[in-house]
Every structure is written in structure tokens, then in C-alpha cells.
Amino acid sequence: DYTFNHYFQTYVGMPVYFVNPSSTTSTSNGFIDGFGNAYVGVRFGAKTPVLNYASNLVFTAPTGDKDKGLSTGRATVDWTNSFNRRLSSVTPFGSLGFANTISDTSFFVRPFSSVGFVSHFDGGAIFRLSQFVDVGASAYAVRAAGQQRIISKRGTSKNRAFGASTETVGSANIANDHGFSAWLGLSPGSTVDFQIGYTRSVNYSLDTLFFGVGYRLGK
């Protein structure tokens, strides 16, 4: 990413997927890997004594392999507005966004790609336990409108919309979702972060254990 000033940042990236299905279908070839959709984003942030605000606009290009479920084959856009306020050792936060796809998050890499208008909500709090340790919890919801197209990563469960076939077209119900996450974060130094946690998708009856390592290079 590149920081222009205290208010504006821009960033680019491309996800890489390594998928090992827990079950296979007649169309699955087992282990799947490949690049996802390249993305570019612009972020505006402002801090005030009352509330911190950030607006994040992300565009993706259809560079992923649609046959593997790593892309919808279409460009997407996601606009998310986030708010938080630190109160001593607790930081409540919330976000509201609109998109033409259900975007992955650092907590939940979904087993499908989608095309269709959605609004998404997220809210929770981070608790600072020490200078190096914090814990967090949040709840989320995705509400779709109009026709939705779900492109499944191969080998997912057949009892869900994203696993019934390679591509499913239907009403908003096939994309609606809600659930919650909880995580532990460690920051042993100024240049590296560790995170591990759990996400439960209620609509998909899907449990996800996630972990991440982040590095900061430069200023």
C-alpha cells in the first residue's frame, strides 16, 4: 500500500488460494490452487475526539479461474464505511457496506464467489489485555437483493447452495448469511502481528478456523 497523507491511502494486491476440499464431487479434482481476483483500493480515514471513521472502496478484476471457483468472471466493487471509538481498553466498532459481490474478509475466506447486489454489516469490540495482546468478537450479516449467482470452489458440501453445483443462480436467499467471529491478536514487535480465531456462519452451517501473520515493511 501507499500512504499519501494522514487521510488517504491506496493499495493493490492479488490473493493466492490453496484449497483442499473436505469432500469431493464428480466435478472435483481434489486439491485446488491458483490466483484470485487482482484488486486495487482507495481508503479515506479521519480521527476525531468523538469517533474514528474510514471509507474503503475496492475494485477487483476477473483474473481468477472461474472454472475453479476462484472468480466470478466479472469485475466487482465493494464500498465499506467503518466506525470505531476507543474507550480505555475497549474499542467498539461497526461497519456498513454495499457491493455487487460477497467479499472475503481476513476472518472468513468463503468457499465460493458471488455476483449480485448485497449489503453487509459488522459490529463488535476489541479488548486490549496488555501492550502485546488483545481479543475481539464481532457479529456480521449479509443481506442480498435481486438475483444472485454463486460460483462454488470445487469439492464443497452438496447440502449448501454453494456446493449444489459449480454455478447456482437463484433469489436473494441463497446469498443471505449471518454469523459471528472471535479472535486473539498478538503484537510482539512493531513490525509483525499474529492472529488466530474462529468464525461461525449460521446460514451455511460452516465453521472456520483462521490464522494470519502480518508484516509491516518501511515506515
Side-chain angles (χ1 to χ4, degrees):
D1 60 27
Y2 182 82
T3 300
F4 293 99
N5 51 45
H6 291 296
Y7 303 102
F8 289 97
Q9 291 178 317
T10 185
Y11 54 91
V12 296
M14 179 179 288
V16 181
Y17 295 100
F18 300 92
V19 181
N20 187 19
S22 58
S23 61
T24 58
T25 68
S26 59
T27 59
S28 174
N29 295 318
F31 185 82
I32 299 168
D33 62 350
F35 292 101
N37 289 341
Y39 60 86
V40 58
V42 179
R43 182 182 184 274
F44 168 80
K47 295 183 178 181
T48 72
V50 177
L51 196 67
N52 300 323
Y53 167 74
S55 182
N56 198 37
L57 187 62
V58 184
F59 301 90
T60 74
T63 55
D65 190 336
K66 183 179 178 181
D67 291 337
K68 294 181 179 180
L70 304 181
S71 172
T72 63
R74 299 185 183 182
T76 66
V77 60
D78 188 315
W79 178 39
T80 301
N81 297 276
S82 304
F83 309 86
N84 72 73
R85 183 182 182 184
R86 185 169 182 176
L87 304 171
S88 184
S89 59
V90 180
T91 303
F93 64 85
S95 71
L96 167 65
F98 305 95
N100 66 343
T101 187
I102 304 176
S103 301
D104 286 335
T105 70
S106 58
F107 297 158
F108 191 9
V109 178
R110 291 175 168 85
F112 62 86
S113 302
S114 77
V115 176
F117 179 80
V118 298
S119 55
H120 53 89
F121 315 89
D122 183 48
I126 299 173
F127 303 87
R128 174 68 68 173
L129 301 182
S130 72
Q131 180 181 354
F132 307 108
V133 181
D134 56 56
V135 296
S138 67
Y140 74 88
V142 176
R143 286 296 174 264
Q147 178 178 280
Q148 301 290 314
R149 186 181 302 271
I150 303 295
I151 295 89
S152 174
K153 294 182 175 68
R154 298 296 180 84
T156 51
S157 173
K158 290 184 177 181
N159 65 354
R160 305 180 177 101
F162 57 79
S165 62
T166 301
E167 185 170 336
T168 303
V169 177
S171 65
N173 289 334
I174 68 172
N176 288 338
D177 186 26
H178 69 283
F180 58 88
S181 300
W183 64 92
L184 170 70
L186 304 175
S187 301
S190 60
T191 60
V192 62
D193 295 309
F194 300 93
Q195 203 169 55
I196 185 170
Y198 165 79
T199 293
R200 170 67 177 177
S201 166
V202 176
N203 285 50
Y204 303 146
S205 298
L206 185 66
D207 301 296
T208 301
L209 179 67
F210 61 85
F211 67 92
V213 182
Y215 296 94
R216 286 181 293 277
L217 305 176
K219 295 183 180 180

